[in-house]
Amino acid sequence: MSKPKALATRPLFPPARAILNEQCDVDYCTVAERISRFELLKRVADIVVLVWLLTEKVDEELLAAAPKLRIAATVSVGYDNIDVAACTRRKVIATNTPGVLDDTTADFAWTLLMAISRRLVEGDAWVRAGTWPGWDLDQLLGGDVHGKTVGIVGIGRIGRGVARRAQGFNMRVLYTDQVRITPQLEKELHVEYHPIDALLRESEFVTLHVPLLHDTRHLISSAEFEKMKRSAYLINTARGPVVDENALVDALERRLIAGAALDVYEREPHVHPGLIARKDVILAPHLASASIETRTKMAVMAATNVAALFEGRRPPNALNVEALSF
Ligand SMILES: NC(=O)c1ccc[n+]([C@@H]2O[C@H](COP(=O)([O-])OP(=O)(O)OC[C@H]3O[C@@H](n4cnc5c(N)ncnc54)[C@H](O)[C@@H]3O)[C@@H](O)[C@H]2O)c1
């Protein structure tokens, strides 16, 4: 019997390919190809499986172009790039990759937090420029990390990882979330719940870990920057549109906050020109989960979701189990 046809929008990694190849006849796009929307719509015409990344969108238009599609497995935990309701209507199972990237992403939020407060990137540029005159008492003074207050916006899997790391730096950890965690978990994580306004007023570091949803779009905008400490840093490893970039640039220009360290942007790969030239900003190219171990686990997880479907099991990370009951 012939295997179902699949399209993977990147070559993935050998362990993930091995799982997928077992079940499907896979057309892998090359890295250099970086599939365009036009090409993607063409290549999904007769596929049953799509393994794809957050740089592509699965929406009504794509689903209409892929009438045989049964499963769309994104290699990411965030699924703001997929219209899950439209998938359900068309009986397409959507899956993501939660859990395997928590520590790697929390590590990176921490990397940004430390780098911005201790002005690491500015220092690196100075040394490379060959103009650094040598040690001096008041050079590139930053702010301490240990003993400060960090505010975590979204205490889900990754937010909790950030909280755990803060203990090692003897920090006060505040969090806000639409769902308050249990008192027992608050105790275990050493975190205090604060409504967002109070968290913004009290934190020296505000780090974002909410998904991009209708009500988290521009969660941090002009009114929020007004509430933050003048000495505060904003860290965003969640999704770009959670922060209103125009408002961020304005806040930095007006020195409402001390700086920002960003991994994600409103219109990737475009970066707001007002951010590019600023020294009080660190700009990372969306690499919070980019360790070889974790990216491999993510690809394997996506492939495992696909394999489960063809082995007659429920894909472990189905976002719309309803689609299975048809
Ligand atoms: N930069 C990267 O490479 C990278 C890597 C991994 C994840 N992410 C992003 O991080 C997000 C979080 O991942 P996670 O696995 O921790 O998700 P999660 O679902 O475990 O946690 C999200 C938390 O946000 C809370 N939340 C949702 N809406 C809220 C609102 N309006 N106000 C306050 N809290 C709200 C939820 O209750 C939940 O506790 C992902 O959705 C993804 O977009 C980015």
Side-chain angles (χ1 to χ4, degrees):
M1 219 173 78
S2 66
K3 291 179 183 173
K5 282 192 172 186
L7 175 71
T9 62
R10 292 293 189 286
L12 306 178
F13 299 96
R17 289 171 79 112
I19 296 168
L20 267 186
N21 294 345
E22 183 95 355
Q23 299 291 340
C24 310
D25 178 8
V26 193
D27 172 16
Y28 292 97
C29 298
T30 63
V31 176
E33 213 176 354
R34 248 192 183 277
I35 194 163
S36 67
R37 177 76 179 173
F38 178 74
E39 184 68 15
L40 179 64
L41 292 176
K42 247 175 38 190
R43 272 161 80 171
V44 294
D46 63 347
I47 61 153
V48 178
V49 173
L50 178 64
V51 181
W52 52 296
L53 308 188
L54 53 83
T55 40
E56 288 103 33
K57 237 185 169 60
V58 169
D59 53 11
E60 281 284 7
E61 183 188 33
L62 184 133
L63 293 168
K68 296 183 186 162
L69 193 64
R70 282 286 288 126
I71 182 164
T74 179
V75 188
S76 64
V77 63
Y79 53 91
D80 46 277
N81 54 338
I82 183 162
D83 185 339
V84 178
C87 285
T88 307
R89 282 194 297 277
R90 290 181 182 267
K91 306 172 194 173
V92 173
I93 296 142
T95 65
N96 69 338
T97 64
V100 287
L101 40 57
D102 304 351
D103 282 323
T104 303
T105 306
D107 283 351
F108 194 72
W110 214 260
T111 305
L112 288 179
L113 185 156
M114 297 200 74
I116 188 69
S117 61
R118 300 302 305 274
R119 306 179 65 177
L120 178 64
V121 176
E122 270 181 88
D124 179 90
W126 198 9
V127 174
R128 282 173 202 276
T131 52
W132 174 54
W135 192 91
D136 211 342
L137 193 62
D138 58 356
Q139 253 173 27
L140 280 187
L141 301 182
D144 271 333
V145 172
H146 69 273
K148 293 281 177 71
T149 299
V150 58
I152 298 174
V153 179
I155 195 98
R157 290 172 292 249
I158 297 167
R160 289 171 205 193
V162 171
R164 287 192 184 95
R165 283 156 178 76
Q167 285 182 41
F169 288 85
N170 195 26
M171 296 174 93
R172 181 176 177 222
V173 187
L174 312 180
Y175 81 93
T176 194
D177 200 293
Q178 60 180 5
V179 186
R180 199 168 162 171
I181 57 177
T182 62
Q184 193 189 336
L185 189 53
E186 285 183 356
K187 211 167 148 198
E188 188 190 311
L189 293 170
H190 300 275
V191 295
E192 301 164 38
Y193 172 78
H194 273 48
I196 191 163
D197 288 359
L199 177 144
L200 294 171
R201 285 201 179 90
E202 290 191 31
S203 302
E204 270 101 13
F205 301 97
V206 174
T207 180
L208 307 178
H209 302 287
V210 289
L212 175 60
L213 302 166
H214 178 69
D215 59 348
T216 58
R217 188 173 289 275
H218 287 191
L219 185 69
I220 305 297
S221 189
S222 307
E224 287 68 36
F225 288 119
E226 293 282 355
K227 287 169 198 151
M228 288 172 70
K229 285 181 182 248
R230 300 294 170 259
S231 55
Y233 295 100
L234 177 74
I235 321 296
N236 189 8
T237 56
R239 281 288 181 270
V242 175
V243 175
D244 176 346
E245 270 177 13
N246 283 326
L248 171 60
V249 170
D250 181 60
L252 290 165
E253 277 170 5
R254 293 167 56 210
R255 303 212 174 280
L256 293 182
I257 61 170
L262 310 172
D263 186 42
V264 287
Y265 307 90
E266 273 203 81
R267 286 179 293 128
E268 294 178 17
H270 174 83
V271 177
H272 193 301
L275 294 171
I276 301 275
R278 298 200 67 90
K279 288 188 173 170
D280 50 5
V281 166
I282 291 177
L283 305 170
H286 201 150
L287 44 76
S289 67
S291 73
I292 180 69
E293 298 93 332
T294 291
R295 286 281 168 87
T296 304
K297 282 183 199 156
M298 289 163 69
V300 164
M301 199 171 205
T304 305
N305 278 305
V306 171
L309 183 70
F310 294 104
E311 287 161 2
R313 291 181 290 115
R314 172 176 157 172
N317 311 105
L319 296 164
N320 56 348
V321 275
E322 318 85 89
L324 279 167
S325 61
F326 288 107

